[in-house]
Amino acid sequence: MTFQVSKAKIKRVFYNQNHKRMLESLYIKNFVLIDQLELDFHQQMSVFTGETGAGKSILLGALSLSLGARGDGQVVGPFSADCEIIATFNTSNNQSAQLWLKQNDWDNDANDNNHEVILRRQINGQGRSKLWINGRPTPASQVRELGQTLVQIHGQHDQIKLLNSNNQKRIVDVHGQHSELLSATATVANEVKSIEQQRQDLVAAGSMSQEQLQLIQYQYDELEQLALQKGEYESLHQQLSVATHAQDLIGTTEQSLLDLQDGEHNAQHLLSHTQLQLSQAQGMDFKDIEQMLEEAAINITEAYNELKARQENIENDPEQLSHIEARLDAIALVSRKQKIMPELLYDYHQELKETLTQHAHLSENQVKLDQAFEKALNNYRQQALKLSTARQKTAATLAKQISQVIQDLGLPDAQLRIDIEHDDDKTPQKDGNDHVTFMIATNKGQSYQPLNKTASGGELSRISLAIEVCSQKKDNAQSFVFDEVDTGIGGATAEKVGAIMQQLSQNNQVFAVTHLAQVAGHAHDHLLISKSSQGEHTTSRVDHLNEQQRIEELARMTGGEVITEATLAQAREFLKN
């Protein structure tokens, strides 16, 4: 099966000159049974029609894959080794997409003039995928995040997002324009989280058992009593060496002093005598040697003075030796008990002192942080309550609006209610402490139940359409895909579904897959998907229909294969309206 696009000219009417296409084009190559296809899209409402099996679901599947949906090798067609899908978007009217791109550092990749975003995906036969955003390789999770800001797909099997409480909360906040309240709530929530982390860090820093604290206190008291001074241990060892050899040192220094100057035949005297002899010698000049001897005499004098000073510092005091030895023994005893090397005892003493000081301040700091935490928590609760109150007010008006639209869509007795449950005791969240639940009663006398418990797939699709229409914002335009949301309805209800889709397309881009002429008649662009057999291949084609072709297709959708003048007239009436 291959796809072709007709070259028929399309007359397009643009109701809003500032309206820009969100999904501008879709390129598909070798996807399932599509050989190659490139489609440009209208900026407002487009419909896809065709007989069952013509390939409408294939187009939506390709779009979903470009947005990061899961895919495997089975989607790769027979025409080449890889499948490729490229979706081109314009985000100039989509604040959510622009914000995502900015927060994830993709804003510089988008063209500042047209805000073009290109999503590209390749899948090989083994199911391995590659994804790009504006040419940059990107994880599928990030593509899905961006995709959620670009396209909303609604079908009978695509309602998970609507049923999620967090997304229901987001719908209320978007409709109520709660951005400032959300920002303020997030600020105080972050403050609570920061203080709580400080409390945990403080406890972790001072966390010790009573036994550990007692041991540290004991060790500190022992070192405090020892009162070891910085560098004292090394100094004592040096003093011990001197005191141990005091007698020998005194004898050695006394003899050395005699040899240098004090003795009868000392070195100083001999040098002076030699210097005198050379100065009186005749026949040769010894002045250079005399100079050297003069320098030697000076060095001897300096050595004598230094040695004399050191001798005076040598104390031959047995009591001093005994005191040094006792001090070193005391240090060694503490060192063994605390299993710390003697030369490290002083630093260890200071560490223990710091630990005990921090522990002493722990309770005081804990009290301060507890007080700060309670204050921040109270601020958060007040702010979260303001947000919750605003949500309550918004929920009441939004539920009433949605209920009215749902009733117009063929559920005349349906009533939607939005429940906001506020929990002050819940851990502070950035988006408040509310649980939001969309409740529905589809029939008279029926109790309200969550959407996922009562609404059928077709009902959920119409409810989704009602919600999107009631909560749309002009500055956050998106592309919406409605896949056969009109299943099970007809007549006036189908007419209303088409009208509501058209209303949604005034500020958004809408795509609808439909079998109903009443819906298709509201579109600004009509794409017909058809198929035919040619030899061994089944060929499908996509045609942008002109006005006459649209009338014929609407007539077929209304009356079947046999087109009569009556069905043609009815088709013209659909387009006229």
Side-chain angles (χ1 to χ4, degrees):
M1 180 186 292
T2 59
F3 272 81
Q4 300 174 354
V5 182
S6 70
K7 297 181 180 179
K9 298 290 185 179
I10 306 168
K11 181 179 180 182
R12 297 180 178 178
V13 179
F14 296 91
Y15 295 94
N16 183 347
Q17 295 301 321
N18 294 322
H19 199 298
K20 294 186 178 181
R21 291 177 293 171
M22 273 58 77
L23 175 59
E24 295 185 326
S25 64
L26 182 65
Y27 171 81
I28 305 171
K29 180 180 180 182
N30 196 36
F31 177 69
V32 190
L33 298 177
I34 298 176
D35 181 5
Q36 187 166 310
L37 168 68
E38 185 170 8
L39 286 172
D40 290 330
F41 296 110
H42 194 278
Q43 61 191 18
Q44 290 185 268
M45 180 178 175
S46 301
V47 291
F48 297 93
T49 66
E51 296 181 355
T52 301
K56 299 183 294 296
S57 62
I58 295 178
L59 290 175
L60 296 185
L63 176 60
S64 297
L65 284 177
S66 73
L67 299 170
R70 300 185 186 278
D72 54 34
Q74 294 182 356
V75 303
V76 179
F79 308 103
S80 61
D82 297 327
C83 157
E84 183 175 22
I85 303 166
I86 302 174
T88 303
F89 294 87
N90 187 305
T91 64
S92 56
N93 293 333
N94 189 329
Q95 286 191 350
S96 295
Q98 293 176 24
L99 178 62
W100 189 94
L101 291 166
K102 182 177 182 180
Q103 290 175 339
N104 292 273
D105 297 326
W106 251 280
D107 53 327
N108 292 329
D109 292 347
N111 187 302
D112 291 335
N113 294 324
N114 58 23
H115 296 278
E116 185 177 78
V117 172
I118 299 175
L119 303 183
R120 178 185 172 207
R121 184 166 190 176
Q122 284 185 342
I123 305 176
N124 64 19
Q126 289 72 44
R128 296 178 181 174
S129 288
K130 295 181 180 179
L131 298 98
W132 294 264
I133 298 177
N134 288 348
R136 191 194 306 181
T138 310
S141 59
Q142 285 196 310
V143 175
R144 285 193 289 270
E145 287 180 9
L146 176 58
Q148 289 178 359
T149 70
L150 296 170
V151 179
Q152 300 296 327
I153 298 178
H154 298 278
Q156 295 193 46
H157 304 289
D158 295 293
Q159 305 306 327
I160 296 177
K161 184 173 182 180
L162 174 62
L163 301 178
N164 182 276
S165 176
N166 287 332
N167 284 312
Q168 292 175 357
K169 187 191 302 181
R170 182 194 62 80
I171 290 169
V172 173
D173 287 333
V174 169
H175 183 77
Q177 297 181 325
H178 299 153
S179 57
E180 291 185 5
L181 284 170
L182 284 167
S183 178
T185 304
T187 298
V188 289
N190 287 332
E191 183 180 358
V192 172
K193 183 178 180 181
S194 175
I195 296 174
E196 176 60 23
Q197 185 61 53
Q198 293 178 51
R199 294 169 76 195
Q200 294 177 5
D201 292 344
L202 185 63
V203 171
S207 61
M208 64 179 73
S209 65
Q210 188 63 28
E211 291 77 10
Q212 289 175 315
L213 180 60
Q214 290 176 350
L215 175 60
I216 290 175
Q217 187 66 55
Y218 174 80
Q219 290 178 315
Y220 174 77
D221 292 341
E222 192 172 46
L223 287 169
E224 190 73 7
Q225 184 177 359
L226 182 65
L228 186 65
Q229 302 300 308
K230 186 174 180 65
E232 180 184 355
Y233 179 74
E234 293 78 6
S235 176
L236 286 171
H237 264 287
Q238 185 178 2
Q239 294 176 38
L240 178 64
S241 177
V242 173
T244 301
H245 302 89
Q247 189 60 44
D248 292 340
L249 287 171
I250 292 173
T252 299
T253 54
E254 285 183 349
Q255 183 59 50
S256 298
L257 291 172
L258 288 171
D259 292 340
L260 289 173
Q261 284 189 3
D262 295 340
E264 183 178 354
H265 301 289
N266 60 73
Q268 188 74 44
H269 175 74
L270 292 174
L271 278 174
S272 298
H273 178 71
T274 303
Q275 188 178 9
L276 179 61
Q277 292 293 324
L278 291 174
S279 65
Q280 296 176 351
Q282 300 292 325
M284 187 174 290
D285 186 2
F286 295 107
K287 287 185 178 180
D288 55 338
I289 297 177
E290 291 178 39
Q291 181 65 34
M292 286 186 285
L293 291 175
E294 180 65 27
E295 292 176 358
I298 293 172
N299 289 334
I300 288 176
T301 299
E302 291 180 354
Y304 175 87
N305 294 334
E306 181 64 25
L307 186 59
K308 187 71 173 178
R310 293 193 185 185
Q311 183 193 52
E312 293 174 353
N313 291 328
I314 299 174
E315 296 184 10
N316 187 16
D317 185 355
E319 291 185 3
Q320 177 66 14
L321 177 60
S322 177
H323 173 75
I324 294 172
E325 291 175 340
R327 181 62 173 162
L328 287 171
D329 288 343
I331 295 173
L333 176 62
V334 174
S335 173
R336 288 193 301 270
K337 289 173 65 177
Q338 300 201 13
K339 297 181 180 179
I340 301 293
M341 295 179 65
E343 56 269 28
L344 301 179
L345 279 177
Y346 176 82
D347 291 337
Y348 185 58
H349 183 196
Q350 304 308 309
E351 291 177 11
L352 293 181
K353 183 177 181 180
E354 180 65 23
T355 299
L356 290 173
T357 300
Q358 289 181 355
H359 186 77
H361 292 312
L362 181 62
S363 297
E364 178 183 351
N365 293 337
Q366 187 71 52
V367 169
K368 291 181 179 179
L369 282 177
D370 288 344
Q371 292 173 345
F373 179 80
E374 286 301 320
K375 181 178 179 181
L377 185 59
N378 288 333
N379 289 339
Y380 173 81
R381 287 172 175 167
Q382 293 175 14
Q383 185 61 46
L385 185 58
K386 289 181 182 178
L387 175 60
S388 182
T389 301
R391 283 172 172 162
Q392 295 278 0
K393 184 177 179 180
T394 297
T397 57
L398 178 60
K400 185 176 181 180
Q401 295 174 17
I402 294 173
S403 295
Q404 183 61 55
V405 177
I406 293 174
Q407 292 165 12
D408 291 340
L409 294 178
L411 298 170
D413 297 322
Q415 291 289 338
L416 184 84
R417 186 182 78 197
I418 302 175
D419 289 347
I420 312 289
E421 297 179 13
H422 184 70
D423 185 0
D424 258 348
D425 297 328
K426 185 180 178 182
T427 301
Q429 303 295 318
K430 291 183 179 181
D431 61 350
N433 283 6
D434 291 331
H435 184 80
V436 178
T437 307
F438 281 24
M439 309 287 286
I440 189 79
T442 54
N443 300 298
K444 286 184 178 180
Q446 183 181 25
S447 62
Y448 284 91
Q449 296 290 333
L451 289 179
N452 60 337
K453 291 187 177 181
T454 58
S456 65
E459 289 171 340
L460 281 175
S461 298
R462 280 175 273 167
I463 293 170
S464 297
L465 175 58
I467 290 173
E468 297 297 357
V469 170
C470 293
S471 61
Q472 62 170 305
K473 299 298 177 186
K474 294 182 179 180
D475 58 354
N476 194 43
Q478 291 182 295
S479 297
F480 293 92
V481 178
F482 295 97
D483 185 9
E484 299 186 3
V485 300
D486 47 23
T487 300
I489 62 173
T493 301
E495 176 73 21
K496 290 176 181 177
V497 168
I500 289 175
M501 286 185 182
Q502 189 186 72
Q503 178 185 343
L504 180 62
S505 74
Q506 296 308 304
N507 294 303
N508 298 276
Q509 186 181 37
V510 174
F511 299 94
V513 176
T514 182
H515 291 288
L516 299 179
Q518 295 94 325
V519 174
H522 285 84
H524 304 100
D525 190 14
H526 191 145
L527 295 93
L528 175 64
I529 302 176
S530 58
K531 65 177 182 179
S532 62
S533 296
Q534 298 179 359
E536 298 180 355
H537 299 284
T538 299
T539 303
S540 289
R541 59 183 292 132
V542 179
D543 292 307
H544 285 285
L545 303 183
N546 59 28
E547 184 174 353
Q548 182 58 37
Q549 291 170 332
R550 288 191 68 179
I551 292 173
E552 293 174 0
E553 171 62 8
L554 293 176
R556 181 198 66 78
M557 296 172 69
T558 303
E561 295 297 328
V562 179
I563 299 176
T564 66
E565 192 60 39
T567 57
L568 286 172
Q570 188 177 29
R572 293 188 187 98
E573 192 67 20
F574 287 148
L575 285 183
K576 180 180 179 181
N577 291 335

mmCIF file of all heavy atoms in Angstrom, residues 112-143:
data_model
loop_
_atom_site.group_PDB
_atom_site.id
_atom_site.type_symbol
_atom_site.label_atom_id
_atom_site.label_comp_id
_atom_site.label_asym_id
_atom_site.label_seq_id
_atom_site.Cartn_x
_atom_site.Cartn_y
_atom_site.Cartn_z
ATOM 1 N N ASP A 112 13.804 32.249 15.573
ATOM 2 C CA ASP A 112 13.142 33.321 16.327
ATOM 3 C C ASP A 112 11.994 33.953 15.550
ATOM 4 O O ASP A 112 11.074 34.528 16.135
ATOM 5 C CB ASP A 112 14.169 34.397 16.714
ATOM 6 C CG ASP A 112 15.155 33.882 17.751
ATOM 7 O OD1 ASP A 112 14.792 32.954 18.485
ATOM 8 O OD2 ASP A 112 16.265 34.432 17.811
ATOM 9 N N ASN A 113 12.044 33.867 14.212
ATOM 10 C CA ASN A 113 11.017 34.537 13.414
ATOM 11 C C ASN A 113 9.732 33.723 13.321
ATOM 12 O O ASN A 113 8.633 34.273 13.382
ATOM 13 C CB ASN A 113 11.562 34.812 12.005
ATOM 14 C CG ASN A 113 12.708 35.814 12.043
ATOM 15 O OD1 ASN A 113 12.703 36.736 12.841
ATOM 16 N ND2 ASN A 113 13.696 35.619 11.185
ATOM 17 N N ASN A 114 9.850 32.400 13.158
ATOM 18 C CA ASN A 114 8.637 31.605 12.974
ATOM 19 C C ASN A 114 8.454 30.534 14.049
ATOM 20 O O ASN A 114 7.483 29.772 13.998
ATOM 21 C CB ASN A 114 8.619 30.952 11.583
ATOM 22 C CG ASN A 114 9.850 30.054 11.379
ATOM 23 O OD1 ASN A 114 10.469 29.580 12.319
ATOM 24 N ND2 ASN A 114 10.178 29.815 10.128
ATOM 25 N N HIS A 115 9.339 30.450 15.006
ATOM 26 C CA HIS A 115 9.227 29.488 16.107
ATOM 27 C C HIS A 115 9.039 28.068 15.574
ATOM 28 O O HIS A 115 8.244 27.297 16.112
ATOM 29 C CB HIS A 115 8.079 29.866 17.027
ATOM 30 C CG HIS A 115 8.259 31.183 17.728
ATOM 31 N ND1 HIS A 115 9.021 31.309 18.865
ATOM 32 C CD2 HIS A 115 7.798 32.422 17.430
ATOM 33 C CE1 HIS A 115 9.006 32.578 19.253
ATOM 34 N NE2 HIS A 115 8.282 33.273 18.399
ATOM 35 N N GLU A 116 9.744 27.725 14.546
ATOM 36 C CA GLU A 116 9.595 26.403 13.942
ATOM 37 C C GLU A 116 10.261 25.336 14.803
ATOM 38 O O GLU A 116 11.402 25.487 15.244
ATOM 39 C CB GLU A 116 10.202 26.392 12.542
ATOM 40 C CG GLU A 116 9.974 25.089 11.786
ATOM 41 C CD GLU A 116 10.528 25.145 10.382
ATOM 42 O OE1 GLU A 116 11.762 25.004 10.234
ATOM 43 O OE2 GLU A 116 9.732 25.361 9.432
ATOM 44 N N VAL A 117 9.540 24.257 15.046
ATOM 45 C CA VAL A 117 10.058 23.105 15.783
ATOM 46 C C VAL A 117 9.852 21.867 14.917
ATOM 47 O O VAL A 117 8.731 21.614 14.445
ATOM 48 C CB VAL A 117 9.346 22.928 17.140
ATOM 49 C CG1 VAL A 117 9.771 21.615 17.802
ATOM 50 C CG2 VAL A 117 9.663 24.098 18.065
ATOM 51 N N ILE A 118 10.918 21.126 14.699
ATOM 52 C CA ILE A 118 10.858 19.944 13.849
ATOM 53 C C ILE A 118 11.163 18.709 14.697
ATOM 54 O O ILE A 118 12.232 18.603 15.308
ATOM 55 C CB ILE A 118 11.864 20.044 12.683
ATOM 56 C CG1 ILE A 118 11.532 21.263 11.812
ATOM 57 C CG2 ILE A 118 11.826 18.766 11.840
ATOM 58 C CD1 ILE A 118 12.546 21.507 10.708
ATOM 59 N N LEU A 119 10.206 17.786 14.734
ATOM 60 C CA LEU A 119 10.389 16.505 15.416
ATOM 61 C C LEU A 119 10.635 15.432 14.360
ATOM 62 O O LEU A 119 9.833 15.270 13.434
ATOM 63 C CB LEU A 119 9.154 16.145 16.248
ATOM 64 C CG LEU A 119 8.706 17.157 17.303
ATOM 65 C CD1 LEU A 119 7.523 16.600 18.086
ATOM 66 C CD2 LEU A 119 9.848 17.498 18.250
ATOM 67 N N ARG A 120 11.716 14.709 14.521
ATOM 68 C CA ARG A 120 12.070 13.686 13.532
ATOM 69 C C ARG A 120 12.308 12.364 14.251
ATOM 70 O O ARG A 120 12.907 12.336 15.335
ATOM 71 C CB ARG A 120 13.326 14.105 12.773
ATOM 72 C CG ARG A 120 13.808 13.087 11.743
ATOM 73 C CD ARG A 120 15.122 13.522 11.138
ATOM 74 N NE ARG A 120 15.706 12.502 10.285
ATOM 75 C CZ ARG A 120 17.009 12.370 10.043
ATOM 76 N NH1 ARG A 120 17.868 13.218 10.592
ATOM 77 N NH2 ARG A 120 17.454 11.411 9.256
ATOM 78 N N ARG A 121 11.838 11.278 13.627
ATOM 79 C CA ARG A 121 12.042 9.959 14.246
ATOM 80 C C ARG A 121 12.369 8.933 13.171
ATOM 81 O O ARG A 121 11.773 8.928 12.092
ATOM 82 C CB ARG A 121 10.797 9.514 14.997
ATOM 83 C CG ARG A 121 11.000 8.184 15.746
ATOM 84 C CD ARG A 121 9.904 7.943 16.724
ATOM 85 N NE ARG A 121 10.205 6.806 17.592
ATOM 86 C CZ ARG A 121 9.446 6.421 18.599
ATOM 87 N NH1 ARG A 121 8.343 7.097 18.888
ATOM 88 N NH2 ARG A 121 9.776 5.387 19.341
ATOM 89 N N GLN A 122 13.324 8.048 13.508
ATOM 90 C CA GLN A 122 13.675 6.921 12.659
ATOM 91 C C GLN A 122 13.566 5.641 13.473
ATOM 92 O O GLN A 122 13.942 5.607 14.652
ATOM 93 C CB GLN A 122 15.102 7.057 12.113
ATOM 94 C CG GLN A 122 15.264 8.067 10.990
ATOM 95 C CD GLN A 122 16.677 8.061 10.420
ATOM 96 O OE1 GLN A 122 17.614 7.573 11.038
ATOM 97 N NE2 GLN A 122 16.822 8.616 9.224
ATOM 98 N N ILE A 123 13.038 4.586 12.850
ATOM 99 C CA ILE A 123 12.935 3.276 13.492
ATOM 100 C C ILE A 123 13.429 2.240 12.495
ATOM 101 O O ILE A 123 13.013 2.249 11.327
ATOM 102 C CB ILE A 123 11.486 2.943 13.911
ATOM 103 C CG1 ILE A 123 10.913 4.041 14.808
ATOM 104 C CG2 ILE A 123 11.423 1.591 14.624
ATOM 105 C CD1 ILE A 123 9.462 3.837 15.180
ATOM 106 N N ASN A 124 14.327 1.325 12.938
ATOM 107 C CA ASN A 124 14.797 0.280 12.040
ATOM 108 C C ASN A 124 14.029 -1.018 12.282
ATOM 109 O O ASN A 124 13.163 -1.097 13.167
ATOM 110 C CB ASN A 124 16.313 0.065 12.163
ATOM 111 C CG ASN A 124 16.720 -0.437 13.537
ATOM 112 O OD1 ASN A 124 15.900 -0.959 14.306
ATOM 113 N ND2 ASN A 124 17.994 -0.296 13.870
ATOM 114 N N GLY A 125 14.344 -2.034 11.498
ATOM 115 C CA GLY A 125 13.622 -3.290 11.587
ATOM 116 C C GLY A 125 13.751 -4.001 12.915
ATOM 117 O O GLY A 125 12.911 -4.826 13.276
ATOM 118 N N GLN A 126 14.807 -3.682 13.677
ATOM 119 C CA GLN A 126 14.993 -4.286 14.999
ATOM 120 C C GLN A 126 14.275 -3.496 16.097
ATOM 121 O O GLN A 126 14.336 -3.851 17.264
ATOM 122 C CB GLN A 126 16.487 -4.372 15.345
ATOM 123 C CG GLN A 126 17.258 -5.408 14.524
ATOM 124 C CD GLN A 126 17.459 -4.968 13.089
ATOM 125 O OE1 GLN A 126 17.801 -3.814 12.826
ATOM 126 N NE2 GLN A 126 17.225 -5.884 12.152
ATOM 127 N N GLY A 127 13.591 -2.436 15.715
ATOM 128 C CA GLY A 127 12.839 -1.651 16.685
ATOM 129 C C GLY A 127 13.643 -0.556 17.358
ATOM 130 O O GLY A 127 13.140 0.105 18.275
ATOM 131 N N ARG A 128 14.876 -0.355 16.924
ATOM 132 C CA ARG A 128 15.699 0.697 17.525
ATOM 133 C C ARG A 128 15.302 2.056 16.957
ATOM 134 O O ARG A 128 15.171 2.212 15.745
ATOM 135 C CB ARG A 128 17.176 0.433 17.276
ATOM 136 C CG ARG A 128 17.679 -0.836 17.944
ATOM 137 C CD ARG A 128 19.143 -1.081 17.612
ATOM 138 N NE ARG A 128 19.631 -2.302 18.237
ATOM 139 C CZ ARG A 128 20.834 -2.828 18.041
ATOM 140 N NH1 ARG A 128 21.686 -2.216 17.216
ATOM 141 N NH2 ARG A 128 21.185 -3.945 18.645
ATOM 142 N N SER A 129 15.114 3.012 17.872
ATOM 143 C CA SER A 129 14.635 4.334 17.472
ATOM 144 C C SER A 129 15.701 5.397 17.685
ATOM 145 O O SER A 129 16.529 5.301 18.595
ATOM 146 C CB SER A 129 13.391 4.730 18.283
ATOM 147 O OG SER A 129 12.273 3.971 17.889
ATOM 148 N N LYS A 130 15.635 6.421 16.850
ATOM 149 C CA LYS A 130 16.400 7.648 17.036
ATOM 150 C C LYS A 130 15.431 8.807 16.908
ATOM 151 O O LYS A 130 14.579 8.812 16.018
ATOM 152 C CB LYS A 130 17.509 7.773 15.997
ATOM 153 C CG LYS A 130 18.597 6.716 16.103
ATOM 154 C CD LYS A 130 19.666 6.935 15.033
ATOM 155 C CE LYS A 130 20.768 5.884 15.129
ATOM 156 N NZ LYS A 130 21.802 6.073 14.078
ATOM 157 N N LEU A 131 15.560 9.775 17.825
ATOM 158 C CA LEU A 131 14.661 10.931 17.809
ATOM 159 C C LEU A 131 15.476 12.212 17.846
ATOM 160 O O LEU A 131 16.529 12.279 18.486
ATOM 161 C CB LEU A 131 13.704 10.889 19.010
ATOM 162 C CG LEU A 131 12.750 9.697 19.079
ATOM 163 C CD1 LEU A 131 13.308 8.637 20.026
ATOM 164 C CD2 LEU A 131 11.371 10.131 19.571
ATOM 165 N N TRP A 132 14.952 13.236 17.184
ATOM 166 C CA TRP A 132 15.610 14.536 17.137
ATOM 167 C C TRP A 132 14.587 15.642 17.379
ATOM 168 O O TRP A 132 13.423 15.531 16.966
ATOM 169 C CB TRP A 132 16.248 14.781 15.771
ATOM 170 C CG TRP A 132 17.381 13.887 15.396
ATOM 171 C CD1 TRP A 132 18.712 14.120 15.538
ATOM 172 C CD2 TRP A 132 17.281 12.597 14.754
ATOM 173 N NE1 TRP A 132 19.461 13.081 15.046
ATOM 174 C CE2 TRP A 132 18.612 12.121 14.562
ATOM 175 C CE3 TRP A 132 16.215 11.800 14.354
ATOM 176 C CZ2 TRP A 132 18.887 10.902 13.965
ATOM 177 C CZ3 TRP A 132 16.481 10.570 13.768
ATOM 178 C CH2 TRP A 132 17.804 10.134 13.579
ATOM 179 N N ILE A 133 15.015 16.681 18.065
ATOM 180 C CA ILE A 133 14.272 17.939 18.120
ATOM 181 C C ILE A 133 15.143 18.995 17.478
ATOM 182 O O ILE A 133 16.248 19.274 17.954
ATOM 183 C CB ILE A 133 13.942 18.353 19.570
ATOM 184 C CG1 ILE A 133 13.038 17.314 20.245
ATOM 185 C CG2 ILE A 133 13.270 19.730 19.595
ATOM 186 C CD1 ILE A 133 12.738 17.631 21.706
ATOM 187 N N ASN A 134 14.680 19.553 16.374
ATOM 188 C CA ASN A 134 15.446 20.556 15.619
ATOM 189 C C ASN A 134 16.866 20.079 15.315
ATOM 190 O O ASN A 134 17.838 20.823 15.455
ATOM 191 C CB ASN A 134 15.477 21.883 16.377
ATOM 192 C CG ASN A 134 14.144 22.588 16.353
ATOM 193 O OD1 ASN A 134 13.253 22.220 15.601
ATOM 194 N ND2 ASN A 134 13.996 23.610 17.178
ATOM 195 N N GLY A 135 16.971 18.822 14.934
ATOM 196 C CA GLY A 135 18.252 18.274 14.523
ATOM 197 C C GLY A 135 19.133 17.794 15.645
ATOM 198 O O GLY A 135 20.210 17.254 15.385
ATOM 199 N N ARG A 136 18.710 17.981 16.881
ATOM 200 C CA ARG A 136 19.529 17.555 18.024
ATOM 201 C C ARG A 136 19.009 16.212 18.551
ATOM 202 O O ARG A 136 17.824 16.093 18.883
ATOM 203 C CB ARG A 136 19.483 18.586 19.138
ATOM 204 C CG ARG A 136 20.528 18.308 20.238
ATOM 205 C CD ARG A 136 20.263 19.112 21.497
ATOM 206 N NE ARG A 136 20.139 20.546 21.273
ATOM 207 C CZ ARG A 136 19.925 21.419 22.258
ATOM 208 N NH1 ARG A 136 19.803 20.995 23.511
ATOM 209 N NH2 ARG A 136 19.828 22.707 22.000
ATOM 210 N N PRO A 137 19.864 15.170 18.640
ATOM 211 C CA PRO A 137 19.416 13.876 19.182
ATOM 212 C C PRO A 137 18.834 14.051 20.579
ATOM 213 O O PRO A 137 19.410 14.752 21.415
ATOM 214 C CB PRO A 137 20.703 13.036 19.200
ATOM 215 C CG PRO A 137 21.583 13.663 18.168
ATOM 216 C CD PRO A 137 21.279 15.137 18.222
ATOM 217 N N THR A 138 17.693 13.426 20.839
ATOM 218 C CA THR A 138 16.933 13.676 22.055
ATOM 219 C C THR A 138 16.334 12.378 22.589
ATOM 220 O O THR A 138 15.833 11.565 21.802
ATOM 221 C CB THR A 138 15.790 14.669 21.777
ATOM 222 O OG1 THR A 138 16.314 15.812 21.096
ATOM 223 C CG2 THR A 138 15.135 15.114 23.076
ATOM 224 N N PRO A 139 16.350 12.151 23.908
ATOM 225 C CA PRO A 139 15.682 10.972 24.480
ATOM 226 C C PRO A 139 14.179 11.012 24.221
ATOM 227 O O PRO A 139 13.573 12.093 24.149
ATOM 228 C CB PRO A 139 15.986 11.079 25.982
ATOM 229 C CG PRO A 139 17.161 11.990 26.088
ATOM 230 C CD PRO A 139 17.052 12.939 24.939
ATOM 231 N N ALA A 140 13.570 9.844 24.120
ATOM 232 C CA ALA A 140 12.134 9.758 23.847
ATOM 233 C C ALA A 140 11.323 10.433 24.946
ATOM 234 O O ALA A 140 10.275 11.036 24.675
ATOM 235 C CB ALA A 140 11.710 8.304 23.697
ATOM 236 N N SER A 141 11.794 10.355 26.200
ATOM 237 C CA SER A 141 11.052 10.949 27.311
ATOM 238 C C SER A 141 10.912 12.459 27.132
ATOM 239 O O SER A 141 9.857 13.033 27.409
ATOM 240 C CB SER A 141 11.751 10.648 28.634
ATOM 241 O OG SER A 141 13.085 11.152 28.640
ATOM 242 N N GLN A 142 11.967 13.118 26.636
ATOM 243 C CA GLN A 142 11.893 14.554 26.426
ATOM 244 C C GLN A 142 11.009 14.903 25.230
ATOM 245 O O GLN A 142 10.283 15.905 25.258
ATOM 246 C CB GLN A 142 13.288 15.144 26.229
ATOM 247 C CG GLN A 142 14.094 15.259 27.517
ATOM 248 C CD GLN A 142 15.291 16.180 27.335
ATOM 249 O OE1 GLN A 142 16.064 16.035 26.401
ATOM 250 N NE2 GLN A 142 15.455 17.125 28.234
ATOM 251 N N VAL A 143 11.052 14.074 24.196
ATOM 252 C CA VAL A 143 10.177 14.308 23.054
ATOM 253 C C VAL A 143 8.713 14.194 23.487
ATOM 254 O O VAL A 143 7.860 14.992 23.077
ATOM 255 C CB VAL A 143 10.485 13.308 21.921
ATOM 256 C CG1 VAL A 143 9.485 13.478 20.778
ATOM 257 C CG2 VAL A 143 11.900 13.508 21.398
#
